[in-house]
Amino acid sequence: MSTIDEEGYFLWFSDIHFDPHYATPRAYSVEGKCNPTSLPSIGKHGCDSPETLVRSTFEAAVTVAAAAPSKPSFVIITGDSIRHGMDRLFINDTESDANFHAIANTSHYTQAMKATGDVMSILSAMLKEYFPETDIIVSVGNNDVVPDYYLELKEESTALGNSSLSVKDAGMLGVLFSALSHDETESPKTGSGLLTQADEWTFLRGGYYSRILHNGNLIVLSLNTVLYSSYFEPESTNIDDPGRQFLWMKKMLEYSRERQCQVIIIGHVPPALGSYRHNQFWKHEHITMYYSIIEEYDDLIIAQLFGHLHSDEFRVGDKSLASMNTETKTQVIPFVSSPLLLGPSVTPLHGNYPAFRLVKYGHVSGGSKHDAKGKFKLLDYESFRSLIDIGENWTKLYTFSEVYSSDYKREDGLSSETMNSIVEAMEDTLQGKESHVLKTFRSFVLSGAAGESQHAGLDMECSEKCRDEWLCTFRSATSDGYENCLLMRRESREKAKGIMFVTLVAVFGTVCVLLIMTRWRKAYRRSHYESTPSVTGDVGPAIEATERL
């Protein structure tokens, strides 16, 4: 029997979207809502994060970490540290994104890159200010590059490991590397950076790198999943493996296997569907490649952590995958040990409350000779949120193991087994109503905010269509898989309704037959008594005798 003999913690932030221009004419703003100087300093729903909110978040995290049984071992940020629309600060309103892509080497582009690097440098310095002695691991998000999703890879032709690219010549990735490492040749030296010289050769190539923790027993792979996005531009010369990131990922996993290390994978854009428009985030061929690698090294990977959605969600594989044909298998998330956990955002842009997580993990001693060294495992997490509409009051929103207590086993932790049990418990009640588990999940999607969509917010009803959409979103890797899932659920519902109708008709028919037979029997008995003759053959005395009885 396995036992947890050591516990640790890490902090998880996602989609900070730091906007130093909040409440100014240069703020990222939809219809001018974020421009007035009279806005509350802590932030506002529908706007990206001002510095006051970012600092409030980090201060709350420091307080939470101080109250934990042990100091957090590391901090992760799953992408989109920078505000939306940095490129819009330097182009005319009449210029389209397409036009901006076409002039990607103009002064507009250079200005936008430098401004993005400056914002990242400020945020990086804040992180080191609040977490000075903690490893901080950051992923590149689509808004961390300019324009959105646009990233020129400067070193596609050379073999992995044969890098000669300098920071200065690496374009947008060079700008980000300078900001995150505080390279004194490119930005002010403000202390030790988040990236090191050892990260340079992979980060400049594709925006990915690794961090070795716990004396080499745990490795975090920070992937640049923007490269796999359906919106990624310009097209890579290595279409199947942009930046040779998959090749590097496999080499790192093989390295981990040889040294019996466990692996956490972090990234920004998840290999799944969105829960709002239900769009497919990654290109199909990259989804297939990613999950084939995950399946191959399933024994090593303890977590897959992503952001991008600005909401508190997860995805989990389909246990019935083994019975599916080859084409269908590539449309759904495979059932592996670790589910996809999607972190809530700090920015309140989409009506959500700002939030972050404190994640508990443990070193589990195995009960078999094959697991003598033990393994790390994600055990639980606490989610904290700020009610910015009434001030910067940070409070704990929920603890995973408490709100899903009926489906949670400590020895399983935040595993696919646990998440699969939760999804199964989200199926409709026997009365055809929304389950309590799904309603609980939806109440946390926007970190407790009510929301305006039936897909989020405890006060919003979730129709039959809404419930089917959620249950298909949890399992699907592609748009085709999602549509097939919806079709199967609709057919299953119609079949169930048909069976119910036939059953009701059968029951009704049976009741009618029984009523008819009962009436017939009563009528028969009555006629029998009325027609029974007396000994003398006279009917009258027999009737009288019967009535006297």
Side-chain angles (χ1 to χ4, degrees):
M1 182 177 179
S2 61
T3 57
I4 300 170
D5 51 24
E6 181 184 351
E7 291 182 350
Y9 297 85
F10 66 86
L11 288 163
W12 179 5
F13 306 102
S14 194
D15 295 86
I16 296 172
H17 287 291
F18 170 39
D19 186 1
H21 303 296
Y22 169 81
T24 75
R26 290 167 65 81
Y28 175 74
S29 184
V30 178
E31 300 178 351
K33 295 177 180 178
C34 307
N35 301 127
T37 57
S38 58
L39 292 177
S41 62
I42 191 62
K44 175 182 172 62
H45 288 298
C47 302
D48 273 334
S49 305
E51 182 172 342
T52 304
L53 175 57
V54 176
R55 288 189 175 276
S56 171
T57 304
F58 294 160
E59 288 168 3
V62 168
T63 301
V64 167
S70 63
K71 177 185 174 182
S73 304
F74 56 97
V75 174
I76 66 166
I77 302 173
T78 48
D80 271 8
S81 300
I82 308 299
R83 56 159 271 182
H84 293 81
M86 282 298 296
D87 53 290
R88 292 294 178 180
L89 293 172
F90 304 97
I91 62 174
N92 299 323
D93 292 337
T94 56
E95 291 183 283
S96 67
D97 288 333
N99 288 334
F100 189 59
H101 290 170
I103 57 172
N105 290 311
T106 66
S107 61
H108 290 159
Y109 184 58
T110 305
Q111 288 177 295
M113 282 200 304
K114 182 181 183 306
T116 301
D118 290 344
V119 176
M120 185 67 86
S121 184
I122 295 170
L123 181 63
S124 177
M126 277 196 280
L127 282 162
K128 292 305 293 184
E129 176 187 341
Y130 286 98
F131 311 103
E133 299 176 357
T134 308
D135 281 303
I136 302 170
I137 310 158
V138 179
S139 288
V140 175
N142 54 284
N143 286 116
D144 297 327
V145 299
V146 290
D148 195 13
Y149 293 101
Y150 187 91
L151 182 61
E152 291 185 89
L153 302 177
K154 301 290 188 178
E155 195 170 55
E156 287 271 74
S157 57
T158 59
L160 192 65
N162 296 338
S163 177
S164 59
L165 191 64
S166 68
V167 173
K168 185 177 179 181
D169 296 328
M172 186 73 238
L173 289 174
V175 171
L176 290 176
F177 182 84
S178 294
L180 292 169
S181 63
H182 295 299
D183 187 325
E184 56 190 354
T185 64
E186 296 291 330
S187 60
K189 189 74 174 177
T190 57
S192 58
L194 309 188
L195 297 182
T196 67
Q197 189 174 358
D199 305 319
E200 184 176 317
W201 72 278
T202 55
F203 194 89
L204 297 184
R205 173 185 284 275
Y208 53 89
Y209 66 104
S210 65
R211 191 65 75 241
I212 298 176
L213 307 167
H214 284 284
N215 299 317
N217 292 317
L218 182 64
I219 297 180
V220 178
L221 302 185
S222 176
L223 303 182
N224 178 7
T225 58
V226 177
L227 304 181
Y228 309 135
S229 169
S230 303
Y231 302 111
F232 173 63
E233 293 185 52
E235 187 175 276
S236 170
T237 55
N238 294 321
I239 297 175
D240 294 334
D241 188 9
R244 301 186 189 274
Q245 183 172 223
F246 282 138
L247 176 61
W248 171 82
M249 181 181 173
K250 290 193 69 171
K251 286 183 177 295
M252 289 303 299
L253 288 166
E254 196 59 44
Y255 170 89
S256 302
R257 177 168 283 168
E258 290 172 0
R259 286 157 181 76
Q260 295 183 296
C261 304
Q262 302 303 119
V263 175
I264 293 175
I265 292 174
I266 71 171
H268 180 60
V269 183
L273 298 187
S275 55
Y276 298 104
R277 292 186 293 272
H278 307 290
N279 54 315
Q280 179 179 316
F281 288 143
W282 286 22
K283 294 175 182 176
H284 192 279
E285 61 270 23
H286 297 146
I287 291 174
T288 302
M289 175 59 75
Y290 175 82
Y291 281 124
S292 69
I293 295 173
I294 296 300
E295 287 185 288
E296 183 178 354
Y297 295 95
D298 181 40
D299 58 312
L300 307 178
I301 300 167
I302 66 169
Q304 302 175 73
L305 311 178
F306 297 91
H308 190 57
L309 275 74
H310 293 209
S311 49
D312 187 324
E313 302 183 32
F314 66 88
R315 303 288 184 268
V316 66
D318 194 327
K319 268 194 158 183
S320 63
L321 191 65
S323 62
M324 297 180 184
N325 59 47
T326 303
E327 181 179 357
T328 305
K329 282 182 179 180
T330 62
Q331 298 175 354
V332 299
I333 298 171
F335 191 83
V336 292
S337 301
S338 59
L340 276 68
L341 303 181
L342 310 180
S345 69
V346 173
T347 179
L349 180 67
H350 295 314
N352 57 290
Y353 285 124
F356 68 88
R357 288 175 176 173
L358 177 69
V359 182
K360 180 195 292 187
Y361 65 100
H363 188 262
V364 183
S365 297
S368 70
K369 63 181 181 180
H370 302 294
D371 197 23
K373 186 178 179 180
K375 295 181 178 181
F376 288 102
K377 180 177 290 187
L378 263 60
L379 301 175
D380 204 355
Y381 68 76
E382 294 176 315
S383 182
F384 298 84
R385 58 94 183 270
S386 174
L387 303 172
I388 58 170
D389 42 11
I390 60 172
E392 57 175 282
N393 182 29
W394 281 93
T395 57
K396 185 172 78 171
L397 178 61
Y398 73 98
T399 301
F400 181 89
S401 60
E402 293 175 0
V403 298
Y404 297 113
S405 58
S406 60
D407 300 291
Y408 174 84
K409 295 179 181 178
R410 189 167 184 269
E411 61 269 24
D412 289 337
L414 304 177
S415 66
S416 286
E417 287 289 349
T418 297
M419 298 302 175
N420 184 69
S421 296
I422 291 171
V423 172
E424 289 179 347
M426 289 179 178
E427 293 286 354
D428 286 357
T429 65
L430 293 175
Q431 293 75 32
K433 303 296 183 181
E434 180 183 9
S435 72
H436 170 72
V437 177
L438 179 55
K439 197 165 189 177
T440 298
F441 166 83
R442 289 194 305 110
S443 73
F444 299 133
V445 168
L446 296 181
S447 299
E452 298 177 355
S453 166
Q454 66 171 345
H455 289 81
L458 184 60
D459 296 331
M460 305 298 292
E461 290 298 323
C462 190
S463 65
E464 184 178 282
K465 177 176 179 291
C466 160
R467 301 195 296 273
D468 282 346
E469 287 174 347
W470 266 119
L471 289 165
C472 288
T473 299
F474 286 126
R475 308 285 200 189
S476 302
T478 68
S479 297
D480 288 340
Y482 173 74
E483 293 299 333
N484 287 338
C485 175
L486 287 179
L487 179 62
M488 287 190 291
R489 291 189 68 84
R490 282 196 295 266
E491 290 177 347
S492 178
R493 286 184 183 277
E494 291 301 319
K495 184 177 179 181
K497 288 176 182 177
I499 293 173
M500 180 67 73
F501 177 76
V502 171
T503 301
L504 289 173
V505 169
V507 170
F508 180 76
T510 302
V511 170
C512 289
V513 169
L514 290 173
L515 287 173
I516 291 170
M517 290 182 66
T518 301
R519 284 177 170 273
W520 181 82
R521 285 174 180 169
K522 287 182 177 179
Y524 174 78
R525 287 172 180 168
R526 189 179 299 114
S527 63
H528 176 72
Y529 288 133
E530 289 177 349
S531 60
T532 303
S534 65
V535 177
T536 60
D538 186 0
V539 176
I543 294 175
E544 291 175 1
T546 303
E547 290 175 345
R548 286 196 295 269
L549 295 175

